Amino acid sequence: MKSVVGFTPIPDRITRLVEVAYNLWWTWHPEAQELFKRIDARLWEDVYHNPILFLREVRQSSLDRAANDPEFIRTYHDVLTAFDEYHVYDQTWFKQTYPDKLRKPIAYFSAEFGLHECLPIYSGGLGILSGDHTKEASDLGLPFIGVGFLYPQGYFRQTITPNGDQEAHYVKVRFAEVPARPAFTGDGKEVVVSVGLPARNNLPDRRVYAKVYHIQVGTVPLYLMDTDIHPNSPEDRELSARLYGGDEEMRIAQEMVLGIGGVRALRAMGIEPAVYHMNEGHSAFLVLERARELVQTGLSFAEAREIIRKTSVFTTHTPVPAGHDAFPFPMIDRYFPEAHDLLKVSREKFLNLARQDQSWGPTFSMTVLALKMSGKHNGVSKLHGGVSRRMWSWLWPNKKPEDVPISHVTNGIHTETWLAPELKALFDQYLGKNWVYRIDDEAMWDGVDFIPDDELWEVMHKLRLRLVDFVRLRTRQRLSRLGRPANELQATQGLLNPDILTIGFARRFATYKRATLIFHDTERLKRIVYGDGIRPVQFIFAGKAHPRDEPGKNFIREVYHRSHEAGLAGRLVFIEDYDMNVARHMVAGVDVWLNTPRRPMEASGTSGQKAGLNGSPNLSILDGWWAEGFNGKNGWAVGDVDAEYENEGDQNHADATSIYELLENEVVPAFYKRDNKGLPRQWLKIVKECIRTVAPQFSMTRMIKDYTTDLYVPSMEE
């Protein structure tokens, strides 16, 4: 027996379960997750797919039974063989392409990392992208290091009241129960860094300490900081407690710890990055810490700035002004009272590093700081690149907007994380076992056409059925929590229908995403849902609004009330507590992915890419990635990109009308037109075209190769 503190003693034959549990490689290898599920399926669900908590809670008898089950042992050894081969694989893309760059680490700073539902330290698209970025960096063999926060309370858990109100609940994450361990220096000491902050609420000037934790993601280390430690004051222990919580004072303190503390954490572990990648402006203070270090060595600020620019990459993620943090000059004076002296520049020059004039006065913009102090900048889709060039053109007054040096790398998704296992089995059969090494090879995906229609349709029905069962279970759990009577719980068995056209909408409920657009003409929508009793349609919604976003919460309330309205009830459902688990079920199980942002506010969006990978065509505004992805045969484009509207109401009317017409005239007829074998041949043609075009072009494999070739390696060679 192997005894690990806090774990149920593990039989010798299966002791490496601990090793697998502490490496998030298992999050994109379903066969590894299946090991834990086979030991105790109910417990695996009860701990919400968390292998560390599973090994703490599992019964000794269950482990003993597994250790003595020949079939389990065979599967265990197969998984461990794959695990070991992954970690010793010597022909990664990066090593083959850039063998001389293997010792030039890339430090990737992000405020959130969406790796798995058992680590609720992400809020939405930015975090999911960061998690996928980290996983693919591992797959491709990049010398990559992630830096961020390990929020003790994570992002909020969402419940919906009987009135449709969103309630936010924060649950303490016990680090001993998640796949995170303390990080250590070379001489075996725990890594703890500190950052100086000014007086607040009668507290004297103070130092805030952050303990660094290590999460292993395949071959990539991820270092996340936590300020909820002694000797910090109760107020400062809250700094990293919640993702995107608190006021402006907390936000600037968080971002100082992320940027400055993150650099100091790397130094404490003896890591000297060749490239620093700021994923959004939250971590931009790292450039000030790097400048301070370089000036201390005797360089002028101008010399230090040039070094920093050459080795820094910055990605901007949104055209929404609220997504760009900016702090008033007096606040910067309080938080950085000695910065200009340390950098050997005037106060005015220091503040002008990030100056952005607002209607209420000059501010210190994190995006401006990142743009000015980095040599490579990019948006996250072709359309967003153009929007960003116009948005920030004032920083380059001598250039035309089209010549502003902000490029684009269109976002992608980590294929193995988001692909349904049932579809992966089909791809293994018809694309070849090693297709996962050629994900960005567009020609390889032509093999999708060889998948027999009946086999593909059978898999898609299974995935839809699994989604419907999941929705019924989650709805039943919610009603039980609310104390509803047994007959209401029983009625959930008839909620939705696994045989009818299912449309999904799931994302952050920001107002520009227009979650309620589909209700513009409710009576027309009801006719579409009913479908003359012959061609019915059903909708599944999910998503969270920021706790302080009242308009977004109003959207959730409206969707919830519509789900109980006569003519929609039973065919329109809102699933509470949207997270990666809900997302995986939805992107794999719906038939159509609905996306309705107000163009051009959607910088990229990746949920539709996940749906497309799983054969769910998009019904979407031509915004973000879909403006590049739509080819006329792989989904549907909503609205007219060339139309001009006098007001938002006119635009909403036109876009909603477009959705209704597409559903009535194209989407619904294609889904329900069946041949004599009961197969929707026209629909399956669209599905295959969707997979064939979306899977390679919008993969994280393609994206990381673009970042590496266009941004990382040139920064290494400056």
Side-chain angles (χ1 to χ4, degrees):
M1 294 283 182
K2 179 174 181 178
S3 181
V4 179
V5 176
F7 285 2
T8 304
I10 301 173
D12 292 339
R13 296 185 75 186
I14 56 175
T15 55
R16 292 190 68 194
L17 283 173
V18 176
E19 188 179 347
V20 173
Y22 272 109
N23 189 318
L24 271 75
W25 174 89
W26 61 262
T27 64
W28 68 98
H29 290 85
E31 64 274 18
Q33 299 168 45
E34 192 65 24
L35 280 180
F36 299 99
K37 186 175 180 179
R38 285 175 63 172
I39 293 171
D40 188 330
R42 181 171 180 176
L43 178 61
W44 182 242
E45 294 301 322
D46 288 346
V47 300
Y48 211 42
H49 319 138
N50 178 347
I52 301 300
L53 187 54
F54 180 92
L55 292 175
R56 290 183 176 278
E57 300 287 341
V58 68
R59 297 171 63 129
Q60 183 73 64
S61 58
S62 299
L63 290 173
D64 291 341
R65 186 164 52 251
N68 290 298
D69 178 352
E71 186 177 344
F72 179 88
I73 292 298
R74 278 195 298 273
T75 305
Y76 170 80
H77 285 301
D78 287 344
V79 169
L80 265 297
T81 298
F83 180 77
D84 290 337
E85 288 177 349
Y86 181 90
H87 286 84
V88 300
Y89 184 62
D90 201 35
Q91 298 300 314
T92 63
W93 172 81
F94 189 86
K95 183 172 183 179
Q96 289 182 308
T97 311
Y98 302 106
D100 58 325
K101 304 292 191 299
L102 290 170
R103 298 188 180 278
K104 295 192 173 184
I106 302 152
Y108 178 84
F109 284 66
S110 184
E112 50 177 306
F113 287 85
L115 297 159
H116 188 263
E117 59 265 21
C118 77
L119 273 169
I121 56 174
Y122 59 93
S123 71
L126 180 71
I128 301 301
L129 186 84
S130 299
D132 281 10
H133 196 124
T134 304
K135 293 172 184 177
E136 191 65 46
S138 172
D139 288 344
L140 295 179
L142 273 65
F144 195 84
I145 299 153
V147 181
F149 271 128
L150 187 58
Y151 304 94
Q153 295 177 27
Y155 200 50
F156 72 92
R157 299 291 303 274
Q158 178 198 58
T159 57
I160 304 299
T161 71
N163 292 325
D165 298 325
Q166 170 182 283
E167 291 186 340
H169 306 273
Y170 292 91
V171 180
K172 179 84 171 179
V173 177
R174 299 181 184 278
F175 295 155
E177 296 176 352
V178 296
R181 287 168 159 162
F184 292 93
T185 62
D187 56 1
K189 296 179 180 178
E190 287 191 352
V191 180
V192 178
V193 296
S194 67
V195 175
L197 295 178
R200 186 185 180 195
N201 296 342
N202 298 319
L203 290 173
D205 289 1
R206 76 262 195 206
R207 297 205 72 77
V208 172
Y209 295 86
K211 181 175 178 177
V212 182
Y213 283 83
H214 172 204
I215 292 177
Q216 192 66 28
V217 186
T219 61
V220 167
L222 179 57
Y223 297 108
L224 303 179
M225 293 171 287
D226 170 34
T227 62
D228 188 14
I229 62 170
H230 179 77
N232 289 339
S233 68
E235 182 181 61
D236 290 335
R237 293 179 81 132
E238 287 290 311
L239 278 181
S240 65
R242 298 178 181 178
L243 176 61
Y244 303 143
D247 56 13
E248 195 174 50
E249 297 273 354
M250 181 173 282
R251 177 60 68 90
I252 191 173
Q254 276 191 342
E255 296 185 353
M256 289 177 70
V257 174
L258 175 60
I260 298 170
V263 171
R264 292 176 181 175
L266 294 175
R267 298 287 182 267
M269 292 178 286
I271 298 169
E272 185 58 52
V275 179
Y276 291 78
H277 184 176
M278 295 171 279
N279 189 45
E280 197 52 273
H282 308 114
S283 62
F285 286 139
L286 74 84
V287 301
L288 302 182
E289 175 65 5
R290 293 187 65 201
R292 182 193 64 79
E293 292 177 332
L294 291 167
V295 170
Q296 271 192 338
T297 68
L299 297 180
S300 68
F301 177 75
E303 292 169 328
R305 178 178 180 174
E306 191 58 25
I307 291 172
I308 293 166
R309 286 188 72 258
K310 288 180 177 179
T311 55
S312 296
V313 172
F314 170 60
T315 301
T316 179
H317 284 268
T318 179
V320 180
H324 299 269
D325 290 334
F327 304 104
F329 276 4
M331 180 177 281
I332 296 297
D333 283 333
R334 283 197 298 113
Y335 278 84
F336 293 91
E338 301 176 346
H340 53 282
D341 289 335
L342 292 172
L343 299 180
K344 298 183 180 178
V345 297
S346 68
R347 171 183 174 274
E348 181 181 15
K349 186 171 183 178
F350 171 70
L351 292 174
N352 283 340
L353 283 175
R355 181 175 184 134
Q356 182 177 13
D357 291 319
Q358 311 279 6
S359 59
W360 58 88
T363 61
F364 195 91
S365 164
M366 300 297 279
T367 300
V368 172
L369 179 64
L371 286 169
K372 284 190 172 182
M373 295 291 284
S374 58
K376 306 286 183 185
H377 343 281
N378 69 285
V380 290
S381 70
K382 183 177 181 180
L383 182 60
H384 179 237
V387 170
S388 298
R389 285 189 287 276
R390 293 190 297 274
M391 186 173 179
W392 301 105
S393 61
W394 58 273
L395 289 172
W396 288 271
N398 297 321
K399 291 182 180 291
K400 297 177 181 178
E402 59 267 26
D403 295 328
V404 167
I406 299 177
S407 63
H408 78 274
V409 177
T410 301
N411 283 346
I413 58 170
H414 186 251
T415 303
E416 289 186 273
T417 292
W418 297 106
L419 180 64
E422 294 86 348
L423 275 172
K424 184 178 185 300
L426 269 188
F427 294 170
D428 287 347
Q429 183 176 353
Y430 292 99
L431 301 181
K433 283 285 187 181
N434 292 323
W435 69 267
V436 294
Y437 296 103
R438 302 167 54 201
I439 289 170
D440 59 333
D441 180 352
E442 294 186 12
M444 178 199 71
W445 287 96
D446 290 341
V448 168
D449 289 335
F450 295 104
I451 300 175
D453 283 352
D454 58 339
E455 292 185 35
L456 180 58
W457 185 238
E458 182 183 0
V459 166
M460 304 201 78
H461 181 267
K462 286 180 180 178
L463 295 175
R464 193 186 314 111
L465 176 59
R466 189 170 70 192
L467 172 61
V468 168
D469 286 342
F470 177 75
V471 172
R472 290 171 176 172
L473 173 62
R474 292 292 286 257
T475 304
R476 194 156 53 249
Q477 289 171 337
R478 174 177 176 270
L479 293 175
S480 177
R481 187 190 75 240
L482 294 173
R484 305 308 298 170
N487 65 313
E488 288 191 29
L489 302 186
Q490 183 65 30
T492 60
Q493 297 294 346
L495 187 64
L496 303 181
N497 182 332
D499 295 318
I500 70 177
L501 176 62
T502 304
I503 298 176
F505 181 103
R507 56 191 30 85
R508 185 167 52 88
F509 267 59
T511 51
Y512 76 85
K513 294 178 184 284
R514 300 191 292 179
T516 58
L517 184 65
I518 193 71
F519 306 119
H520 183 76
D521 183 342
T522 310
E523 293 309 310
R524 189 171 182 180
L525 176 63
K526 289 177 181 179
R527 291 194 294 272
I528 292 170
V529 166
Y530 182 65
D532 295 324
I534 301 171
R535 302 187 303 182
V537 179
Q538 60 195 7
F539 290 84
I540 301 173
F541 282 77
K544 295 177 178 179
H546 189 281
R548 292 195 298 273
D549 182 2
E550 292 304 323
K553 288 192 282 187
N554 288 337
F555 277 15
I556 289 176
R557 190 178 298 111
E558 179 175 353
V559 173
Y560 177 80
H561 284 297
R562 296 289 188 184
S563 73
H564 292 79
E565 184 175 323
L568 296 177
R571 289 291 174 261
L572 191 152
V573 178
F574 184 91
I575 311 175
E576 66 182 6
D577 205 24
Y578 183 46
D579 66 0
M580 291 182 73
N581 183 35
V582 174
R584 280 197 307 272
H585 280 86
M586 287 191 65
V587 297
V590 300
D591 298 296
V592 175
W593 196 257
L594 178 65
N595 190 29
T596 54
R598 190 179 305 283
R599 179 183 162 104
M601 303 301 286
E602 183 87 290
S604 177
T606 57
S607 58
Q609 298 172 354
K610 300 174 184 98
L613 167 69
N614 284 283
S616 302
N618 279 244
L619 172 63
S620 176
I621 302 290
L622 283 172
D623 199 6
W625 78 277
W626 189 233
E628 298 168 56
F630 176 63
N631 70 359
K633 298 180 292 183
N634 60 354
W636 300 272
V638 173
D640 181 355
V641 296
D642 297 319
E644 296 183 4
Y645 304 99
E646 290 188 7
N647 54 59
E648 291 185 354
D650 289 348
Q651 184 179 4
N652 290 345
H653 177 77
D655 288 344
T657 300
S658 175
I659 292 172
Y660 300 142
E661 291 175 349
L662 286 167
L663 287 172
E664 293 164 341
N665 302 324
E666 298 186 35
V667 180
V668 174
F671 183 84
Y672 283 106
K673 183 180 179 181
R674 309 292 166 90
D675 66 7
N676 56 11
K677 292 185 178 180
L679 294 173
R681 301 288 184 179
Q682 181 185 351
W683 182 264
L684 290 170
K685 186 175 181 181
I686 297 169
V687 167
K688 289 181 178 180
E689 180 71 4
C690 175
I691 296 172
R692 189 186 67 77
T693 54
V694 172
Q697 185 181 355
F698 300 100
S699 66
M700 188 58 68
T701 303
R702 187 273 310 154
M703 181 186 127
I704 294 297
K705 288 182 179 181
D706 285 352
Y707 269 101
T708 302
T709 303
D710 299 339
L711 303 173
Y712 295 156
V713 168
S715 298
M716 294 174 184
E717 294 175 340
E718 286 282 355

